[in-house]
Amino acid sequence: AQSVTQLDSQVPVFEEAPVELRCNYSSSVSVYLFWYVQYPNQGLQLLLKYLSGSTLVESINGFEAEFNKSQTSFHLRKPSVHISDTAEYFCAVSDQGGNKLVFGAGTILRVKS
Amino acid sequence: DTGVSQDPRHKITKRGQNVTFRCDPISEHNRLYWYRQTLGQGPEFLTYFQNEAQLEKSRLLSDRFSAERPKGSFSTLEIQRTEQGDSAMYLCASSLGRISGNTIYFGEGSWLTVV
C-alpha cells in the first residue's frame, strides 16, 4: 500500500516570490507520482506527473517537480508565483499497476499581493 | 469533450434518507472512479469500474453505499440511511485505461450535507 504526506497544510507567500510545496511518499513498490490543483468550487486538475525518465517534470504554467527516489519525495516548486496560483494542491501516488490514486491531505497555497 | 459531469452539485438531506449521485464520464473512457473528500483532507478512493464491472471497493464503502455502472456508461452512487458522517464531497473521475500514462479527469464533485 502507498501513502502520501504533505508536510505543510498552508503556505502563505507574496506574489513573485518562489515557493516549494513538499510531498513525501511511502511505497514498497515502484510508483507514479502526480500533482493535482483544486481551485475554489472546482474539481481537481492534473498539474504534472512523473511516470519514468527524467526526474524533473514541468507544467505549462511554470511549476516543476522533481522525483527523488532516495528521499522518497516529489516536491513542487515555482520560481515566481502569481495571485492566480492561489489554490489547494494535492500530491498523489499510484503503484505502477495503475489502478487508483492515493492522495495527500493537500496544501493550500495563498499568494498575497 | 464535455468533461466529467456530476449531478446534483449540492444535496442537503435529513439523516436516514437515501441519496443518489450521478456521474457521466468523458465519452469513451472505460474507467470510472468514485472518491470522497472531506474538509481538510485529500480525496479518498471508494471504488472503480472497468466498463460495467466494479473491480475494486474500498473498506470505506460500507453496506449502505452502492455504486453501479450499467452498460459501462454513466454511474450512480447511492447512499442509504444517510448519517451525519456521510457529509462530504463525492468526486467522480474517469480515464482511458489504467493510470500509467493516462490522466484521470475529475468532475467538480457533488456536495452532500446530512442534517
Side-chain angles (χ1 to χ4, degrees):
Chain A
Q2 292 82 41
S3 66
V4 176
T5 302
Q6 291 185 244
L7 296 157
D8 306 293
S9 58
Q10 294 197 41
V11 174
V13 63
F14 284 104
E15 194 172 18
E16 297 184 7
V19 70
E20 179 179 78
L21 307 184
R22 295 180 292 169
C23 171
N24 286 91
Y25 70 92
S26 172
S27 177
S28 57
V29 299
S30 295
V31 297
Y32 299 135
L33 292 155
F34 306 79
W35 277 99
Y36 278 81
V37 58
Q38 187 173 35
Y39 299 101
N41 299 316
Q42 294 188 26
L44 285 82
Q45 302 171 33
L46 180 67
L47 192 58
L48 46 75
K49 61 184 176 183
Y50 170 77
L51 302 179
S52 64
S54 172
T55 57
L56 185 66
V57 290
E58 299 177 350
S59 73
I60 59 172
N61 57 352
F63 283 94
E64 64 178 31
E66 185 159 21
F67 170 55
N68 187 320
K69 189 174 182 179
S70 63
Q71 300 289 323
T72 61
S73 68
F74 191 55
H75 301 330
L76 182 70
R77 292 186 286 264
K78 189 170 185 179
S80 175
V81 294
H82 302 288
I83 294 287
S84 60
D85 292 324
T86 295
E88 190 161 16
Y89 292 79
F90 292 94
C91 183
V93 65
S94 164
D95 64 54
Q96 290 190 355
N99 286 329
K100 62 179 181 281
L101 294 172
V102 175
F103 287 86
T107 297
I108 296 173
L109 175 62
R110 297 189 193 280
V111 182
K112 302 176 287 185
S113 59
Chain B
D1 182 354
T2 57
V4 178
S5 176
Q6 294 190 243
D7 183 71
R9 294 290 315 281
H10 302 273
K11 177 73 175 178
I12 300 174
T13 190
K14 292 184 178 179
R15 189 175 52 185
Q17 298 294 305
N18 299 345
V19 297
T20 299
F21 300 111
R22 176 184 170 118
C23 172
D24 287 274
I26 292 172
S27 177
E28 298 180 355
H29 277 193
N30 54 354
R31 287 222 168 176
L32 186 147
Y33 308 81
W34 285 100
Y35 283 78
R36 180 173 69 187
Q37 185 178 15
T38 53
L39 284 175
Q41 298 297 319
E44 297 172 293
F45 171 80
L46 292 179
T47 188
Y48 88 91
F49 292 83
Q50 172 89 16
N51 299 313
E52 67 274 11
Q54 188 174 19
L55 296 186
E56 186 173 347
K57 294 196 297 185
S58 162
R59 281 172 286 181
L60 292 174
L61 217 62
S62 75
D63 291 345
R64 297 183 297 104
F65 288 71
S66 63
E68 296 181 342
R69 192 182 183 198
K71 302 179 183 178
S73 56
F74 72 91
S75 176
T76 58
L77 177 68
E78 180 182 19
I79 309 173
Q80 296 182 325
R81 305 181 303 282
T82 53
E83 302 173 356
Q84 287 188 321
D86 297 331
S87 295
M89 181 163 66
Y90 291 86
L91 289 164
C92 179
S94 70
S95 69
L96 191 62
R98 288 186 165 187
I99 293 174
S100 53
N102 294 317
T103 299
I104 291 184
Y105 295 87
F106 284 82
E108 295 190 337
S110 293
W111 277 103
L112 172 65
T113 302
V114 181
V115 297

